[in-house]
Amino acid sequence: MIGRAHFAFSDFDYCETEIPVAQPPQVLTIRADPLQIIRPEGDWGQPGRPEAGDNETG
């Protein structure tokens, strides 16, 4: 990326890249509802346990 330095880690050189791609219509972003972001992988369209009021403690 322009303006970013290369870096090395564990004897390997890295260079950041950025590839602009079209976003899917229902993309999750940092602005999404926090309870939606923590839903199980691949199940973002279904309410999770915290949203159903199943707030078990301990």
Side-chain angles (χ1 to χ4, degrees):
M1 291 179 58
I2 297 172
R4 300 285 297 239
H6 291 93
F7 63 97
F9 176 76
S10 191
D11 294 326
F12 193 83
D13 293 327
Y14 290 87
C15 177
E16 291 182 273
T17 59
E18 182 178 18
I19 302 171
V21 295
Q23 290 186 347
Q26 295 180 335
V27 67
L28 285 178
T29 68
I30 196 64
R31 290 177 172 45
D33 184 313
L35 292 177
Q36 184 180 19
I37 293 173
I38 64 170
R39 289 176 181 170
E41 179 78 24
D43 230 0
W44 296 288
Q46 301 298 319
R49 290 177 66 183
E51 295 166 274
D54 189 10
N55 295 322
E56 296 179 11
T57 57

